[in-house]
Amino acid sequence: MQYSELVKSLNERQLEAVESSSQYTRVIAGAGSGKTRVLTYRISYLISELNVRPWKILAITFTNKVANEMKNRVISIVPEAEKDLTIKTFHSFAAYFLRQEIHKINYPSNFTILDEEDQLKIIKDIAVDHGYRKGDPIVKKTVNYIGNQKLHEKYPGDITITHERFEDEKVCLEFYEEYEAKKDRQYALDFDDLLLRTNQILESFPMIRAKWQDRIDHILIDEFQDTNDTEDKMIRLLLKPTSTLYVVGDPDQTIYTWRGANQGIILDLDKRFGNVRTIILDRNYRSTQNILDSANKLISHNKMRVPKDLYTQNLKGHEVVVRCADSSLGEAEYVAREIKLLHETQHYKLSDIAILYRSNYVTLEFEKALMAKRIPYVIYGGMKFYQRAEIKDVLAYFRLINNIKDDISFERIINTPRRGIGDVAITKIKQCALEHNESMYEYVCEDYASDECPTKAIVTLRNLIQRINHTRDEINKDEETFSKLLEDMISDIGYYDYLKVDEDGEERLENVKSLFEDLRHYLKSNPDATFDEYLQNVALVSAQDDMVEGEKVTLMTVHTAKGLEYPIVFVVKLNQGVFPSNRAMTEGGYSAIEEERRLAYVAFTRAKERLYLTYSHGFSYVVKSELSESMFIAESGNSLAGRPTDRRSSFYNRNNNQQSKYRYSFDDVRDNDTIDFDDGPSIEPFSQEPQSNEEEWKVGDIAIHQKFGRGVVTSLEGDGIIVVNFATEGEKTLLGSHKMLSKEKK
């Protein structure tokens, strides 16, 4: 098809962007505004209409998939460009450059490119050489340390440590030095090296720089808001005074600053070049106007942006649905129930539906709710909750409390966290336990174990077993809520400290806290349940993880969802401290809140037809506070604040959207009512969680315990759990409905 025919499909702003005659053009392309089409047509326009030679064009995208798709689309318009068109990622262009020029720094052109797995293997081997295990935290810490140093263009020779900024920094630097030496001996480069060595050659050799500048007349860059300083430096080195620079991006979708993306590069482009033409693509082809109105209101609260309001010629569509639950369990139940309704009565495919969230630790309740409704799901770009390493670790400790013959669990935790027990010692303990027809746990407790196996390992493990035995004894007394006893044990054995040194330690800690929150919810709903029953419940839920095949609902973080779209999107856990994250609110300052807001904006704009925003009240064990509505709900014009709370129903609905045949409002629901629709489904009111007598307790109340005596309530921790300071026993964490506990009457 000729270019003259293709341009008929462009709107006015898109055509202006495609045919820009400025040397420096910045296209601010809003979500769903057709930026890929604009870039593709721009390249085609340069070749077919301005007679630019294809080999004079360098186009940069951020994934190989997009690069291939864009190249194929350009070739379909201008087939003659097929052999000479250069559309690459930054890394693939750098590799192409280095194959021709790396000899300048005494490296052969047949160098090997290491992927992430190769890099990890080298660092694991280095760790083992230094007496560590391949799975020890120092490995991942070193990987992240090297990546961070290279992001700042620092090799080992550029680094001097006068005092350690974090534990084991000197070890990381030592491993970094060995890593570079191993790579050099193999003539290998990792992904970061590709960019750094390209910049090194372009900067150090003016003749090489001039040669490549002469080759390229037009540089075009996609997703420019995600460019980092190293990539920006490469572009500046490739530009000559007469080159054109054409960038496409959206500052409102800059959500990767933690990876090095520098939003200032796109925002300050006009300051750097002086004569930049900015074209804003604000017509959205993806979403309904109601969805866009919410997204526009939300992002308008950011200051660091290029102002724009997305609009569409699509229908106004369904209003954004906002739901608040009395508890996080109720929130998950609602989402699962609504998905089932959409699937069964309005015939949406499950693959049309996505549940988006800020952090992975929130998935457990939604996974359980979906499984309860037999709704298949997949976690895209992440692991299901019970498959995460830290959850398996903690549950292994739990199982040993319940079953000392569980060798699988014992072997998992024997050196987690690290206790200095080597593989030889572990193998010996396994062999000896087998010979004595005992479990490893039982064998270590025997007197003869210290004669047959390394004494240090046996003594270390006996200390651990002593702590596990103490927890078991306390649980069996049934005096204090076992969620507290288990948490104390996990803390005392050093597992929290073990996680904290990991680069992803905060997220892994949140996962463990989420497990304990689930345990507390379980106790509230089943106050007479035993520890054994809880473990059985977990095992049964885990076994159902993959019970249904075929079409599935997608769960993923908002970061993972970037660039994707779904007819129906649920943005869940929109609570202060969750989304926006607690860390952004307490440590990051204003720029961190702006990035959180951009993240919410990306989440909203993934939705094509229906957008649901959900949150809950109640105490959160993870954020250690009562949950409240996220600031982003009010900022998007969707707040429920001010509506009367009707405790007869778990939810309050912002609207009663007449455009949806099956839309309903719980404001009108009476106890035990059902909601009927003409030719529609019959829906029962949401079941209420069992009510503990937590609400009967207040800080300052006097508690009488049949064993501990008289004490004062010092705090309420949610889920029916209270903390009481007893005169003789000190503080105890108890289930408020415990049969041995009563309130002193005034």
Side-chain angles (χ1 to χ4, degrees):
M1 185 179 292
Q2 295 296 314
Y3 171 80
S4 57
E5 290 296 316
L6 291 172
V7 295
K8 294 177 182 178
S9 64
L10 299 175
N11 65 42
E12 183 178 349
R13 290 280 182 84
Q14 289 175 330
L15 181 60
E16 179 186 357
V18 166
E19 298 186 350
S20 170
S21 59
S22 297
Q23 183 177 6
Y24 306 111
T25 302
R26 176 177 62 175
V27 180
I28 304 298
S33 63
K35 69 177 181 64
T36 304
R37 173 183 291 184
V38 166
L39 261 176
T40 303
Y41 286 16
R42 172 67 178 182
I43 296 170
S44 304
Y45 172 75
L46 291 174
I47 297 170
S48 65
E49 304 302 308
L50 300 187
N51 297 316
V52 173
R53 301 298 183 225
W55 57 85
K56 288 286 189 177
I57 299 171
L58 170 62
I60 299 290
T61 71
F62 272 75
T63 67
N64 287 308
K65 180 182 177 182
V66 173
N68 290 332
E69 288 176 353
M70 190 177 296
K71 187 170 185 177
N72 289 334
R73 289 172 69 174
V74 171
I75 291 170
S76 70
I77 302 170
V78 280
E80 64 272 19
E82 180 173 2
K83 293 183 179 180
D84 301 313
L85 196 58
T86 304
I87 303 179
K88 297 180 178 292
T89 65
F90 276 110
H91 289 96
S92 62
F93 171 77
Y96 171 71
F97 172 91
L98 290 172
R99 293 293 182 199
Q100 301 175 59
E101 308 294 354
I102 201 169
H103 64 276
K104 288 290 184 179
I105 54 174
N106 300 316
Y107 240 70
S109 61
N110 63 341
F111 60 85
T112 299
I113 299 175
L114 303 178
D115 61 20
E116 293 177 353
E117 188 175 338
D118 298 327
Q119 181 186 36
L120 184 61
K121 184 181 184 306
I122 292 175
I123 295 171
K124 283 181 176 179
D125 290 344
I126 293 170
V128 169
D129 291 343
H130 284 262
Y132 293 89
R133 292 161 59 92
K134 291 182 178 181
D136 283 347
I138 191 63
V139 172
K140 193 166 186 180
K141 188 185 288 189
T142 301
V143 170
N144 290 315
Y145 176 78
I146 292 172
N148 187 58
Q149 294 303 321
K150 290 192 175 184
L151 184 64
H152 293 90
E153 303 185 21
K154 290 184 178 181
Y155 282 100
D158 304 316
I159 303 168
T160 301
I161 300 175
T162 53
H163 64 277
E164 289 192 323
R165 296 169 298 160
F166 58 87
E167 186 180 359
D168 292 330
E169 183 181 9
K170 290 182 179 178
V171 176
C172 288
L173 178 56
E174 182 181 358
F175 283 15
Y176 187 9
E177 291 170 343
E178 292 188 32
Y179 169 74
E180 288 300 312
K182 281 179 177 285
K183 284 199 299 96
D184 287 346
R185 286 196 296 271
Q186 299 174 38
Y187 294 124
L189 300 178
D190 61 31
F191 285 169
D192 292 322
D193 292 328
L194 295 175
L195 304 183
L196 294 176
R197 295 309 185 191
T198 295
N199 286 354
Q200 177 188 352
I201 293 170
L202 286 170
E203 200 167 28
S204 302
F205 299 93
M207 294 293 290
I208 299 293
R209 182 169 68 251
K211 178 177 73 174
W212 282 83
Q213 287 178 343
D214 185 59
R215 289 186 183 184
I216 302 167
D217 289 341
H218 302 271
I219 299 178
L220 302 90
I221 307 174
D222 190 16
E223 299 285 7
F224 194 61
Q225 78 279 350
D226 292 330
T227 304
N228 65 37
D229 292 338
T230 304
E231 294 160 345
D232 180 55
K233 183 177 181 179
M234 183 189 298
I235 294 302
R236 286 187 281 113
L237 288 167
L238 290 170
L239 281 172
K240 60 178 179 284
T242 58
S243 297
T244 72
L245 178 64
Y246 188 97
V247 303
V248 180
D250 184 6
D252 289 339
Q253 297 187 68
T254 306
I255 59 174
Y256 293 112
T257 59
W258 50 281
R259 285 189 193 168
N262 182 352
Q263 189 186 24
I265 295 173
I266 188 170
L267 289 176
D268 298 335
L269 199 70
D270 52 344
K271 297 176 183 176
R272 292 164 53 190
F273 292 100
N275 186 27
V276 175
R277 182 180 184 183
T278 297
I279 301 167
I280 297 176
L281 303 184
D282 50 7
R283 179 180 171 185
N284 176 282
Y285 290 86
R286 174 188 300 154
S287 306
T288 66
Q289 192 61 52
N290 277 327
I291 293 171
L292 297 179
D293 286 345
S294 289
N296 288 333
K297 289 174 185 175
L298 172 68
I299 203 63
S300 67
H301 289 81
N302 272 11
K303 295 179 180 177
M304 296 181 289
R305 63 187 297 259
V306 177
K308 68 176 183 303
D309 271 343
L310 296 179
Y311 74 95
T312 185
Q313 293 183 5
N314 297 337
L315 296 174
K316 194 168 181 63
H318 302 281
E319 290 189 35
V320 175
V321 175
V322 183
R323 290 297 175 91
C324 171
D326 287 338
S327 69
S328 54
L329 293 175
E331 179 184 1
E333 179 189 350
Y334 163 70
V335 170
R337 190 164 187 153
E338 184 72 359
I339 288 172
K340 194 171 185 68
L341 187 70
L342 290 164
H343 178 56
E344 293 182 351
T345 67
Q346 302 190 40
H347 309 299
Y348 281 99
K349 297 178 182 177
L350 293 178
S351 57
D352 288 339
I353 303 170
I355 301 173
L356 307 185
Y357 39 82
R358 173 64 179 84
S359 302
N360 275 312
Y361 77 86
V362 309
T363 66
L364 177 57
E365 289 160 352
F366 294 94
E367 291 185 58
K368 290 169 74 173
L370 291 169
M371 283 189 284
K373 295 281 189 292
R374 300 192 67 80
I375 300 171
Y377 68 92
V378 60
I379 296 184
Y380 188 62
M383 283 182 156
K384 292 184 177 180
F385 188 85
Y386 287 114
Q387 295 173 350
R388 297 167 193 170
E390 57 274 13
I391 301 304
K392 288 187 173 183
D393 291 344
V394 173
L395 288 175
Y397 279 104
F398 289 2
R399 289 177 179 128
L400 283 170
I401 292 172
N402 200 51
N403 178 14
I404 64 174
K405 291 187 176 293
D406 186 347
D407 276 349
I408 294 175
S409 292
F410 190 79
E411 192 168 354
R412 182 176 186 92
I413 59 88
I414 197 170
N415 222 20
T416 305
R418 182 173 172 81
R419 299 185 174 92
I421 302 173
D423 290 340
V424 174
I426 293 173
T427 301
K428 182 67 174 175
I429 292 171
K430 288 173 66 177
Q431 290 174 344
C432 291
L434 185 62
E435 291 169 3
H436 288 280
N437 196 29
E438 294 173 318
S439 70
M440 295 171 71
Y441 190 110
E442 292 171 317
Y443 172 75
V444 168
C445 296
E446 300 288 356
D447 291 338
Y448 46 74
S450 53
D451 296 327
E452 298 176 344
C453 293
T455 304
K456 181 181 177 183
I458 297 299
V459 170
T460 299
L461 289 173
R462 283 176 179 170
N463 289 335
L464 172 63
I465 287 172
Q466 184 178 5
R467 185 63 182 86
I468 294 173
N469 289 343
H470 172 74
T471 303
R472 183 188 305 110
D473 292 342
E474 291 298 306
I475 289 174
N476 290 338
K477 289 179 184 177
D478 192 26
E479 294 171 351
E480 193 169 3
T481 177
F482 61 75
S483 61
K484 170 65 172 172
L485 298 170
L486 292 169
E487 186 188 10
D488 286 346
M489 182 190 76
I490 295 300
S491 177
D492 289 348
I493 63 173
Y495 192 77
Y496 287 151
D497 293 333
Y498 161 75
L499 291 181
K500 287 176 183 176
V501 301
D502 195 321
E503 186 73 16
D504 298 325
E506 182 179 0
E507 181 177 345
R508 299 183 70 193
L509 275 170
E510 288 172 340
N511 283 331
V512 173
K513 289 178 181 178
S514 186
L515 178 67
F516 278 108
E517 187 164 64
D518 176 63
L519 173 53
R520 293 156 66 98
H521 290 336
Y522 180 81
L523 284 172
K524 180 181 179 181
S525 300
N526 306 274
D528 296 325
T530 64
F531 178 56
D532 179 58
E533 289 169 340
Y534 170 72
L535 285 179
Q536 176 179 296
N537 179 68
V538 168
L540 291 174
V541 170
S542 301
Q544 294 176 26
D545 277 352
D546 298 308
M547 65 182 182
V548 185
E549 298 298 328
E551 191 183 320
K552 300 176 182 179
V553 173
T554 301
L555 283 74
M556 68 182 111
T557 65
V558 184
H559 282 105
T560 305
K562 175 76 185 302
L564 303 176
E565 59 184 42
Y566 292 84
I568 301 170
V569 169
F570 290 82
V571 184
V572 300
K573 303 298 289 186
L574 278 162
N575 288 99
Q576 290 293 94
V578 182
F579 197 176
S581 73
N582 196 52
R583 186 173 187 179
M585 293 170 60
T586 58
E587 301 176 19
Y590 184 79
S591 62
I593 292 296
E594 286 219 345
E595 179 142 359
E596 293 288 302
R597 191 176 287 115
R598 292 194 296 269
L599 198 59
Y601 175 80
V602 168
F604 288 16
T605 54
R606 299 311 93 197
K608 297 168 68 175
E609 299 175 21
R610 295 173 180 258
L611 174 62
Y612 292 78
L613 311 178
T614 71
Y615 66 103
S616 62
H617 289 307
F619 184 88
S620 169
Y621 181 73
V622 178
V623 300
K624 295 290 188 183
S625 68
E626 289 289 331
L627 292 172
S628 60
E629 176 184 299
S630 169
M631 60 197 290
F632 298 150
I633 295 179
E635 290 178 353
S636 64
N638 293 298
S639 180
L640 292 173
R643 284 187 71 89
T645 298
D646 181 356
R647 297 196 65 82
R648 294 170 302 183
S649 167
S650 296
F651 286 82
Y652 324 118
N653 193 7
R654 184 176 67 84
N655 63 77
N656 186 13
N657 182 7
Q658 298 302 318
Q659 292 176 324
S660 172
K661 182 176 181 181
Y662 302 126
R663 179 54 49 223
Y664 45 87
S665 170
F666 283 91
D667 293 334
D668 300 322
V669 177
R670 300 292 190 270
D671 292 343
N672 302 317
D673 279 351
T674 59
I675 306 170
D676 296 313
F677 302 87
D678 294 335
D679 301 319
S682 176
I683 305 171
E684 298 175 358
F686 289 113
S687 60
Q688 296 296 302
E689 294 180 38
Q691 293 296 311
S692 74
N693 51 350
E694 175 194 0
E695 292 183 3
E696 299 174 9
W697 291 101
K698 300 187 297 293
V699 173
D701 282 347
I702 301 300
I704 306 297
H705 192 277
Q706 293 177 19
K707 180 175 180 180
F708 302 145
R710 192 170 183 271
V712 61
V713 177
T714 58
S715 67
L716 308 177
E717 294 202 348
D719 291 317
I721 294 175
I722 63 176
V723 178
V724 182
N725 189 10
F726 292 98
T728 57
E729 300 289 336
E731 281 197 342
K732 297 287 185 180
T733 303
L734 307 166
L735 197 60
S737 58
H738 197 285
K739 60 189 177 183
M740 298 180 71
L741 192 65
S742 62
K743 185 193 296 187
E744 182 176 84
K745 295 181 179 179
K746 296 181 180 178

